[in-house]
Amino acid sequence: MNSTQIEDVFRTADPSWWNPTPGQDRRSWLFQKQAEYVERKCREHFKDSSPLKGLDAGCGRGIHSQMLTRLGCSAVTSLDINPAMLALTSKVACSTRVEGSLMEMPFGPSEFDLVVSLGTSMHVPSVPRLFFEIYRVLVTGGILAISMANALSMYRS
């Protein structure tokens, strides 16, 4: 698949394809524990009360957008290529929702103090491009929390 085809898969995917439900899907505990761990580690880096701008890059259902709010971000932005996922995020997180690609984020340079991109890198056409875009939108000295490809990748054979 080329980059456009890969992004089209996620742009048009029915959100039910990725539905970690407690008691029904073994992934739900993983996402909960991952969010708890990342939140705990981020708290170690942001101990002062300065307002933070947070980006949930590839927000999916909004679990990590919720986490950014709990961390005390004064502004949370939820970015996803799929409008149906953004609609689900709107039900669980108070954030600015933006439809767009991780490969060309619709933000200016150095807009965010904290970028969270968990469970996304295995679904993008170019991990180097993802890192370039995150680096571009993250302030100097900002924090990135990212998970890399894993055994749950849809491209695993």
Side-chain angles (χ1 to χ4, degrees), residues 66-114:
Q66 289 175 316
M67 179 194 69
L68 291 171
T69 300
R70 285 193 308 271
L71 282 170
C73 288
S74 59
V76 175
T77 301
S78 304
L79 173 69
D80 205 282
I81 199 167
N82 187 315
M85 289 297 213
L86 290 168
L88 291 172
T89 295
S90 73
K91 295 177 182 180
V92 299
C94 182
S95 63
T96 301
R97 289 162 309 283
V98 177
E99 184 179 339
S101 170
L102 294 173
M103 300 295 95
E104 289 185 45
M105 293 188 201
F107 310 113
S110 303
E111 281 199 35
F112 300 98
D113 303 294
L114 173 59

mmCIF file of all heavy atoms in Angstrom, residues 66-114:
data_model
loop_
_atom_site.group_PDB
_atom_site.id
_atom_site.type_symbol
_atom_site.label_atom_id
_atom_site.label_comp_id
_atom_site.label_asym_id
_atom_site.label_seq_id
_atom_site.Cartn_x
_atom_site.Cartn_y
_atom_site.Cartn_z
ATOM 1 N N GLN A 66 -8.226 12.705 27.460
ATOM 2 C CA GLN A 66 -8.675 12.781 28.859
ATOM 3 C C GLN A 66 -7.478 12.907 29.791
ATOM 4 O O GLN A 66 -7.479 13.692 30.738
ATOM 5 C CB GLN A 66 -9.456 11.523 29.252
ATOM 6 C CG GLN A 66 -10.805 11.379 28.651
ATOM 7 C CD GLN A 66 -11.427 10.030 29.035
ATOM 8 O OE1 GLN A 66 -10.768 8.993 29.001
ATOM 9 N NE2 GLN A 66 -12.696 10.053 29.374
ATOM 10 N N MET A 67 -6.450 12.113 29.532
ATOM 11 C CA MET A 67 -5.251 12.129 30.359
ATOM 12 C C MET A 67 -4.593 13.508 30.344
ATOM 13 O O MET A 67 -4.169 14.009 31.384
ATOM 14 C CB MET A 67 -4.256 11.076 29.869
ATOM 15 C CG MET A 67 -2.969 11.039 30.663
ATOM 16 S SD MET A 67 -1.671 10.092 29.842
ATOM 17 C CE MET A 67 -1.314 11.147 28.449
ATOM 18 N N LEU A 68 -4.525 14.141 29.178
ATOM 19 C CA LEU A 68 -3.922 15.467 29.082
ATOM 20 C C LEU A 68 -4.683 16.482 29.930
ATOM 21 O O LEU A 68 -4.085 17.350 30.563
ATOM 22 C CB LEU A 68 -3.856 15.923 27.620
ATOM 23 C CG LEU A 68 -2.873 15.153 26.741
ATOM 24 C CD1 LEU A 68 -3.051 15.530 25.277
ATOM 25 C CD2 LEU A 68 -1.437 15.390 27.188
ATOM 26 N N THR A 69 -5.990 16.347 29.979
ATOM 27 C CA THR A 69 -6.792 17.218 30.827
ATOM 28 C C THR A 69 -6.476 16.960 32.295
ATOM 29 O O THR A 69 -6.290 17.899 33.076
ATOM 30 C CB THR A 69 -8.297 17.007 30.543
ATOM 31 O OG1 THR A 69 -8.547 17.310 29.174
ATOM 32 C CG2 THR A 69 -9.148 17.899 31.421
ATOM 33 N N ARG A 70 -6.383 15.703 32.691
ATOM 34 C CA ARG A 70 -6.045 15.368 34.077
ATOM 35 C C ARG A 70 -4.666 15.888 34.463
ATOM 36 O O ARG A 70 -4.415 16.217 35.623
ATOM 37 C CB ARG A 70 -6.104 13.850 34.306
ATOM 38 C CG ARG A 70 -7.495 13.288 34.391
ATOM 39 C CD ARG A 70 -7.502 11.865 34.922
ATOM 40 N NE ARG A 70 -6.617 10.963 34.220
ATOM 41 C CZ ARG A 70 -6.950 10.242 33.145
ATOM 42 N NH1 ARG A 70 -8.169 10.335 32.631
ATOM 43 N NH2 ARG A 70 -6.079 9.426 32.576
ATOM 44 N N LEU A 71 -3.760 15.955 33.485
ATOM 45 C CA LEU A 71 -2.422 16.472 33.751
ATOM 46 C C LEU A 71 -2.428 17.982 33.978
ATOM 47 O O LEU A 71 -1.425 18.549 34.385
ATOM 48 C CB LEU A 71 -1.482 16.140 32.587
ATOM 49 C CG LEU A 71 -0.967 14.724 32.529
ATOM 50 C CD1 LEU A 71 -0.252 14.465 31.221
ATOM 51 C CD2 LEU A 71 -0.031 14.449 33.702
ATOM 52 N N GLY A 72 -3.542 18.620 33.672
ATOM 53 C CA GLY A 72 -3.654 20.056 33.898
ATOM 54 C C GLY A 72 -3.338 20.904 32.692
ATOM 55 O O GLY A 72 -3.079 22.104 32.829
ATOM 56 N N CYS A 73 -3.336 20.311 31.512
ATOM 57 C CA CYS A 73 -3.107 21.118 30.310
ATOM 58 C C CYS A 73 -4.203 22.174 30.201
ATOM 59 O O CYS A 73 -5.386 21.869 30.341
ATOM 60 C CB CYS A 73 -3.107 20.238 29.060
ATOM 61 S SG CYS A 73 -1.649 19.192 28.913
ATOM 62 N N SER A 74 -3.789 23.395 29.961
ATOM 63 C CA SER A 74 -4.766 24.476 29.828
ATOM 64 C C SER A 74 -5.485 24.408 28.485
ATOM 65 O O SER A 74 -6.583 24.923 28.346
ATOM 66 C CB SER A 74 -4.074 25.829 29.973
ATOM 67 O OG SER A 74 -3.067 25.974 28.978
ATOM 68 N N ALA A 75 -4.848 23.773 27.527
ATOM 69 C CA ALA A 75 -5.456 23.577 26.208
ATOM 70 C C ALA A 75 -5.076 22.190 25.713
ATOM 71 O O ALA A 75 -3.901 21.817 25.728
ATOM 72 C CB ALA A 75 -4.960 24.635 25.227
ATOM 73 N N VAL A 76 -6.067 21.426 25.298
ATOM 74 C CA VAL A 76 -5.849 20.083 24.760
ATOM 75 C C VAL A 76 -6.384 20.052 23.341
ATOM 76 O O VAL A 76 -7.513 20.475 23.085
ATOM 77 C CB VAL A 76 -6.560 19.002 25.612
ATOM 78 C CG1 VAL A 76 -6.424 17.627 24.966
ATOM 79 C CG2 VAL A 76 -6.008 18.988 27.030
ATOM 80 N N THR A 77 -5.567 19.551 22.426
ATOM 81 C CA THR A 77 -5.976 19.375 21.043
ATOM 82 C C THR A 77 -5.952 17.892 20.725
ATOM 83 O O THR A 77 -4.967 17.203 21.010
ATOM 84 C CB THR A 77 -5.042 20.138 20.081
ATOM 85 O OG1 THR A 77 -5.074 21.530 20.415
ATOM 86 C CG2 THR A 77 -5.470 19.958 18.633
ATOM 87 N N SER A 78 -7.032 17.401 20.147
ATOM 88 C CA SER A 78 -7.155 15.994 19.748
ATOM 89 C C SER A 78 -7.122 15.945 18.227
ATOM 90 O O SER A 78 -7.997 16.507 17.574
ATOM 91 C CB SER A 78 -8.473 15.412 20.263
ATOM 92 O OG SER A 78 -8.583 15.569 21.657
ATOM 93 N N LEU A 79 -6.111 15.292 17.671
ATOM 94 C CA LEU A 79 -5.944 15.186 16.222
ATOM 95 C C LEU A 79 -6.175 13.750 15.784
ATOM 96 O O LEU A 79 -5.602 12.817 16.361
ATOM 97 C CB LEU A 79 -4.523 15.606 15.829
ATOM 98 C CG LEU A 79 -4.120 15.396 14.369
ATOM 99 C CD1 LEU A 79 -4.884 16.339 13.445
ATOM 100 C CD2 LEU A 79 -2.613 15.575 14.196
ATOM 101 N N ASP A 80 -7.021 13.565 14.764
ATOM 102 C CA ASP A 80 -7.208 12.240 14.183
ATOM 103 C C ASP A 80 -7.624 12.415 12.732
ATOM 104 O O ASP A 80 -8.254 13.414 12.365
ATOM 105 C CB ASP A 80 -8.268 11.434 14.940
ATOM 106 C CG ASP A 80 -8.050 9.930 14.779
ATOM 107 O OD1 ASP A 80 -8.400 9.391 13.712
ATOM 108 O OD2 ASP A 80 -7.513 9.304 15.703
ATOM 109 N N ILE A 81 -7.287 11.442 11.923
ATOM 110 C CA ILE A 81 -7.641 11.478 10.513
ATOM 111 C C ILE A 81 -9.091 11.053 10.281
ATOM 112 O O ILE A 81 -9.673 11.342 9.252
ATOM 113 C CB ILE A 81 -6.659 10.591 9.690
ATOM 114 C CG1 ILE A 81 -6.702 10.967 8.213
ATOM 115 C CG2 ILE A 81 -6.920 9.110 9.944
ATOM 116 C CD1 ILE A 81 -5.563 10.386 7.406
ATOM 117 N N ASN A 82 -9.676 10.397 11.292
ATOM 118 C CA ASN A 82 -11.010 9.826 11.146
ATOM 119 C C ASN A 82 -12.049 10.678 11.886
ATOM 120 O O ASN A 82 -12.018 10.773 13.109
ATOM 121 C CB ASN A 82 -11.000 8.400 11.702
ATOM 122 C CG ASN A 82 -12.277 7.651 11.446
ATOM 123 O OD1 ASN A 82 -13.360 8.182 11.638
ATOM 124 N ND2 ASN A 82 -12.151 6.406 11.031
ATOM 125 N N PRO A 83 -12.992 11.283 11.152
ATOM 126 C CA PRO A 83 -14.003 12.114 11.810
ATOM 127 C C PRO A 83 -14.887 11.352 12.789
ATOM 128 O O PRO A 83 -15.342 11.918 13.792
ATOM 129 C CB PRO A 83 -14.821 12.690 10.651
ATOM 130 C CG PRO A 83 -14.473 11.897 9.446
ATOM 131 C CD PRO A 83 -13.150 11.248 9.697
ATOM 132 N N ALA A 84 -15.104 10.076 12.559
ATOM 133 C CA ALA A 84 -15.916 9.282 13.488
ATOM 134 C C ALA A 84 -15.191 9.111 14.824
ATOM 135 O O ALA A 84 -15.819 9.115 15.884
ATOM 136 C CB ALA A 84 -16.255 7.928 12.878
ATOM 137 N N MET A 85 -13.876 8.968 14.794
ATOM 138 C CA MET A 85 -13.100 8.874 16.034
ATOM 139 C C MET A 85 -13.146 10.199 16.777
ATOM 140 O O MET A 85 -13.255 10.227 18.007
ATOM 141 C CB MET A 85 -11.657 8.476 15.744
ATOM 142 C CG MET A 85 -11.510 7.043 15.286
ATOM 143 S SD MET A 85 -12.044 5.874 16.558
ATOM 144 C CE MET A 85 -10.945 4.532 16.247
ATOM 145 N N LEU A 86 -13.070 11.296 16.041
ATOM 146 C CA LEU A 86 -13.160 12.606 16.687
ATOM 147 C C LEU A 86 -14.518 12.798 17.355
ATOM 148 O O LEU A 86 -14.611 13.388 18.436
ATOM 149 C CB LEU A 86 -12.903 13.719 15.670
ATOM 150 C CG LEU A 86 -11.459 13.826 15.176
ATOM 151 C CD1 LEU A 86 -11.379 14.746 13.972
ATOM 152 C CD2 LEU A 86 -10.536 14.289 16.294
ATOM 153 N N ALA A 87 -15.556 12.270 16.740
ATOM 154 C CA ALA A 87 -16.893 12.354 17.346
ATOM 155 C C ALA A 87 -16.925 11.576 18.657
ATOM 156 O O ALA A 87 -17.523 12.027 19.637
ATOM 157 C CB ALA A 87 -17.948 11.824 16.373
ATOM 158 N N LEU A 88 -16.274 10.419 18.701
ATOM 159 C CA LEU A 88 -16.207 9.649 19.943
ATOM 160 C C LEU A 88 -15.383 10.386 20.997
ATOM 161 O O LEU A 88 -15.737 10.402 22.176
ATOM 162 C CB LEU A 88 -15.608 8.266 19.684
ATOM 163 C CG LEU A 88 -16.489 7.322 18.878
ATOM 164 C CD1 LEU A 88 -15.729 6.055 18.518
ATOM 165 C CD2 LEU A 88 -17.757 6.983 19.636
ATOM 166 N N THR A 89 -14.298 11.017 20.575
ATOM 167 C CA THR A 89 -13.472 11.789 21.505
ATOM 168 C C THR A 89 -14.283 12.915 22.133
ATOM 169 O O THR A 89 -14.150 13.203 23.324
ATOM 170 C CB THR A 89 -12.230 12.351 20.780
ATOM 171 O OG1 THR A 89 -11.413 11.254 20.368
ATOM 172 C CG2 THR A 89 -11.418 13.261 21.680
ATOM 173 N N SER A 90 -15.145 13.530 21.346
ATOM 174 C CA SER A 90 -15.942 14.650 21.864
ATOM 175 C C SER A 90 -16.856 14.223 23.012
ATOM 176 O O SER A 90 -17.248 15.048 23.830
ATOM 177 C CB SER A 90 -16.770 15.290 20.745
ATOM 178 O OG SER A 90 -17.846 14.446 20.369
ATOM 179 N N LYS A 91 -17.164 12.941 23.096
ATOM 180 C CA LYS A 91 -18.035 12.435 24.161
ATOM 181 C C LYS A 91 -17.296 12.210 25.476
ATOM 182 O O LYS A 91 -17.926 12.101 26.520
ATOM 183 C CB LYS A 91 -18.702 11.131 23.720
ATOM 184 C CG LYS A 91 -19.653 11.323 22.556
ATOM 185 C CD LYS A 91 -20.229 10.001 22.113
ATOM 186 C CE LYS A 91 -21.150 10.214 20.909
ATOM 187 N NZ LYS A 91 -21.730 8.966 20.437
ATOM 188 N N VAL A 92 -15.951 12.118 25.413
ATOM 189 C CA VAL A 92 -15.207 11.783 26.629
ATOM 190 C C VAL A 92 -14.167 12.824 27.039
ATOM 191 O O VAL A 92 -13.644 12.763 28.142
ATOM 192 C CB VAL A 92 -14.507 10.404 26.501
ATOM 193 C CG1 VAL A 92 -15.517 9.298 26.288
ATOM 194 C CG2 VAL A 92 -13.445 10.409 25.416
ATOM 195 N N ALA A 93 -13.841 13.760 26.157
ATOM 196 C CA ALA A 93 -12.777 14.713 26.462
ATOM 197 C C ALA A 93 -13.166 16.126 26.056
ATOM 198 O O ALA A 93 -13.787 16.333 25.012
ATOM 199 C CB ALA A 93 -11.494 14.306 25.735
ATOM 200 N N CYS A 94 -12.775 17.066 26.885
ATOM 201 C CA CYS A 94 -12.980 18.479 26.580
ATOM 202 C C CYS A 94 -11.719 18.950 25.853
ATOM 203 O O CYS A 94 -10.703 19.235 26.487
ATOM 204 C CB CYS A 94 -13.203 19.267 27.858
ATOM 205 S SG CYS A 94 -13.512 21.005 27.557
ATOM 206 N N SER A 95 -11.782 18.962 24.535
ATOM 207 C CA SER A 95 -10.608 19.311 23.740
ATOM 208 C C SER A 95 -11.043 19.967 22.446
ATOM 209 O O SER A 95 -12.200 19.873 22.037
ATOM 210 C CB SER A 95 -9.779 18.055 23.431
ATOM 211 O OG SER A 95 -10.516 17.139 22.636
ATOM 212 N N THR A 96 -10.090 20.612 21.812
ATOM 213 C CA THR A 96 -10.300 21.102 20.456
ATOM 214 C C THR A 96 -10.014 19.935 19.531
ATOM 215 O O THR A 96 -8.920 19.361 19.574
ATOM 216 C CB THR A 96 -9.336 22.270 20.144
ATOM 217 O OG1 THR A 96 -9.574 23.313 21.078
ATOM 218 C CG2 THR A 96 -9.522 22.767 18.727
ATOM 219 N N ARG A 97 -10.976 19.540 18.738
ATOM 220 C CA ARG A 97 -10.808 18.392 17.856
ATOM 221 C C ARG A 97 -10.474 18.867 16.448
ATOM 222 O O ARG A 97 -11.128 19.750 15.915
ATOM 223 C CB ARG A 97 -12.058 17.525 17.884
ATOM 224 C CG ARG A 97 -12.188 16.797 19.226
ATOM 225 C CD ARG A 97 -13.555 16.272 19.519
ATOM 226 N NE ARG A 97 -14.648 17.230 19.384
ATOM 227 C CZ ARG A 97 -14.948 18.172 20.267
ATOM 228 N NH1 ARG A 97 -14.226 18.304 21.346
ATOM 229 N NH2 ARG A 97 -15.959 18.986 20.072
ATOM 230 N N VAL A 98 -9.420 18.265 15.887
ATOM 231 C CA VAL A 98 -8.932 18.658 14.568
ATOM 232 C C VAL A 98 -8.809 17.409 13.712
ATOM 233 O O VAL A 98 -8.143 16.446 14.100
ATOM 234 C CB VAL A 98 -7.562 19.370 14.666
ATOM 235 C CG1 VAL A 98 -7.026 19.713 13.288
ATOM 236 C CG2 VAL A 98 -7.667 20.617 15.537
ATOM 237 N N GLU A 99 -9.438 17.440 12.544
ATOM 238 C CA GLU A 99 -9.303 16.340 11.594
ATOM 239 C C GLU A 99 -8.076 16.600 10.738
ATOM 240 O O GLU A 99 -7.943 17.662 10.131
ATOM 241 C CB GLU A 99 -10.548 16.253 10.706
ATOM 242 C CG GLU A 99 -10.528 15.075 9.768
ATOM 243 C CD GLU A 99 -11.787 14.985 8.914
ATOM 244 O OE1 GLU A 99 -12.828 15.561 9.300
ATOM 245 O OE2 GLU A 99 -11.718 14.335 7.861
ATOM 246 N N GLY A 100 -7.159 15.627 10.721
ATOM 247 C CA GLY A 100 -5.952 15.800 9.928
ATOM 248 C C GLY A 100 -5.020 14.617 10.041
ATOM 249 O O GLY A 100 -5.202 13.723 10.870
ATOM 250 N N SER A 101 -4.007 14.653 9.213
ATOM 251 C CA SER A 101 -3.029 13.572 9.100
ATOM 252 C C SER A 101 -1.839 13.793 10.029
ATOM 253 O O SER A 101 -1.367 14.921 10.190
ATOM 254 C CB SER A 101 -2.531 13.503 7.653
ATOM 255 O OG SER A 101 -1.425 12.634 7.548
ATOM 256 N N LEU A 102 -1.349 12.718 10.597
ATOM 257 C CA LEU A 102 -0.118 12.779 11.374
ATOM 258 C C LEU A 102 1.084 13.057 10.483
ATOM 259 O O LEU A 102 2.123 13.499 10.959
ATOM 260 C CB LEU A 102 0.104 11.458 12.123
ATOM 261 C CG LEU A 102 -0.914 11.118 13.208
ATOM 262 C CD1 LEU A 102 -0.669 9.711 13.743
ATOM 263 C CD2 LEU A 102 -0.887 12.135 14.317
ATOM 264 N N MET A 103 0.933 12.808 9.195
ATOM 265 C CA MET A 103 2.029 13.011 8.257
ATOM 266 C C MET A 103 2.196 14.486 7.867
ATOM 267 O O MET A 103 3.256 14.889 7.406
ATOM 268 C CB MET A 103 1.822 12.171 6.981
ATOM 269 C CG MET A 103 1.735 10.671 7.220
ATOM 270 S SD MET A 103 3.262 9.926 7.841
ATOM 271 C CE MET A 103 2.980 9.940 9.610
ATOM 272 N N GLU A 104 1.152 15.268 8.038
ATOM 273 C CA GLU A 104 1.192 16.714 7.788
ATOM 274 C C GLU A 104 0.255 17.382 8.781
ATOM 275 O O GLU A 104 -0.867 17.748 8.448
ATOM 276 C CB GLU A 104 0.758 17.031 6.359
ATOM 277 C CG GLU A 104 1.747 16.617 5.305
ATOM 278 C CD GLU A 104 1.327 17.065 3.911
ATOM 279 O OE1 GLU A 104 0.913 18.230 3.757
ATOM 280 O OE2 GLU A 104 1.410 16.232 3.007
ATOM 281 N N MET A 105 0.732 17.525 10.009
ATOM 282 C CA MET A 105 -0.125 18.076 11.055
ATOM 283 C C MET A 105 -0.462 19.534 10.748
ATOM 284 O O MET A 105 0.413 20.299 10.358
ATOM 285 C CB MET A 105 0.562 17.959 12.411
ATOM 286 C CG MET A 105 0.734 16.532 12.869
ATOM 287 S SD MET A 105 1.331 16.498 14.568
ATOM 288 C CE MET A 105 2.038 14.866 14.623
ATOM 289 N N PRO A 106 -1.733 19.893 10.902
ATOM 290 C CA PRO A 106 -2.186 21.238 10.543
ATOM 291 C C PRO A 106 -1.922 22.264 11.652
ATOM 292 O O PRO A 106 -2.808 23.014 12.057
ATOM 293 C CB PRO A 106 -3.690 21.033 10.317
ATOM 294 C CG PRO A 106 -4.054 19.916 11.235
ATOM 295 C CD PRO A 106 -2.847 19.011 11.260
ATOM 296 N N PHE A 107 -0.672 22.290 12.148
ATOM 297 C CA PHE A 107 -0.294 23.203 13.214
ATOM 298 C C PHE A 107 1.016 23.885 12.847
ATOM 299 O O PHE A 107 1.804 23.356 12.068
ATOM 300 C CB PHE A 107 -0.107 22.456 14.545
ATOM 301 C CG PHE A 107 -1.258 21.555 14.902
ATOM 302 C CD1 PHE A 107 -1.099 20.177 14.926
ATOM 303 C CD2 PHE A 107 -2.497 22.089 15.198
ATOM 304 C CE1 PHE A 107 -2.155 19.342 15.247
ATOM 305 C CE2 PHE A 107 -3.573 21.257 15.519
ATOM 306 C CZ PHE A 107 -3.397 19.890 15.545
ATOM 307 N N GLY A 108 1.231 25.033 13.456
ATOM 308 C CA GLY A 108 2.483 25.739 13.249
ATOM 309 C C GLY A 108 3.593 25.143 14.089
ATOM 310 O O GLY A 108 3.356 24.262 14.929
ATOM 311 N N PRO A 109 4.803 25.631 13.885
ATOM 312 C CA PRO A 109 5.925 25.123 14.664
ATOM 313 C C PRO A 109 5.814 25.499 16.144
ATOM 314 O O PRO A 109 5.280 26.550 16.491
ATOM 315 C CB PRO A 109 7.153 25.781 14.029
ATOM 316 C CG PRO A 109 6.665 26.718 12.993
ATOM 317 C CD PRO A 109 5.187 26.602 12.890
ATOM 318 N N SER A 110 6.311 24.625 16.981
ATOM 319 C CA SER A 110 6.429 24.866 18.420
ATOM 320 C C SER A 110 5.116 25.271 19.080
ATOM 321 O O SER A 110 5.077 26.173 19.914
ATOM 322 C CB SER A 110 7.496 25.943 18.679
ATOM 323 O OG SER A 110 8.723 25.561 18.128
ATOM 324 N N GLU A 111 4.041 24.580 18.758
ATOM 325 C CA GLU A 111 2.730 24.915 19.329
ATOM 326 C C GLU A 111 2.416 24.168 20.624
ATOM 327 O O GLU A 111 1.556 24.609 21.377
ATOM 328 C CB GLU A 111 1.616 24.635 18.317
ATOM 329 C CG GLU A 111 1.485 25.702 17.271
ATOM 330 C CD GLU A 111 0.141 25.681 16.571
ATOM 331 O OE1 GLU A 111 -0.888 25.377 17.205
ATOM 332 O OE2 GLU A 111 0.134 25.960 15.366
ATOM 333 N N PHE A 112 3.090 23.051 20.892
ATOM 334 C CA PHE A 112 2.691 22.206 22.010
ATOM 335 C C PHE A 112 3.852 21.940 22.970
ATOM 336 O O PHE A 112 4.981 21.729 22.551
ATOM 337 C CB PHE A 112 2.117 20.886 21.496
ATOM 338 C CG PHE A 112 0.910 21.082 20.625
ATOM 339 C CD1 PHE A 112 1.027 21.084 19.242
ATOM 340 C CD2 PHE A 112 -0.344 21.297 21.192
ATOM 341 C CE1 PHE A 112 -0.081 21.286 18.434
ATOM 342 C CE2 PHE A 112 -1.454 21.512 20.400
ATOM 343 C CZ PHE A 112 -1.327 21.504 19.022
ATOM 344 N N ASP A 113 3.510 21.917 24.268
ATOM 345 C CA ASP A 113 4.484 21.599 25.313
ATOM 346 C C ASP A 113 4.607 20.097 25.518
ATOM 347 O O ASP A 113 5.639 19.604 25.965
ATOM 348 C CB ASP A 113 4.036 22.223 26.648
ATOM 349 C CG ASP A 113 3.846 23.713 26.537
ATOM 350 O OD1 ASP A 113 4.845 24.420 26.319
ATOM 351 O OD2 ASP A 113 2.692 24.170 26.651
ATOM 352 N N LEU A 114 3.533 19.394 25.220
ATOM 353 C CA LEU A 114 3.458 17.958 25.455
ATOM 354 C C LEU A 114 2.701 17.312 24.299
ATOM 355 O O LEU A 114 1.604 17.753 23.957
ATOM 356 C CB LEU A 114 2.720 17.691 26.775
ATOM 357 C CG LEU A 114 2.368 16.262 27.149
ATOM 358 C CD1 LEU A 114 3.612 15.390 27.246
ATOM 359 C CD2 LEU A 114 1.616 16.242 28.477
#
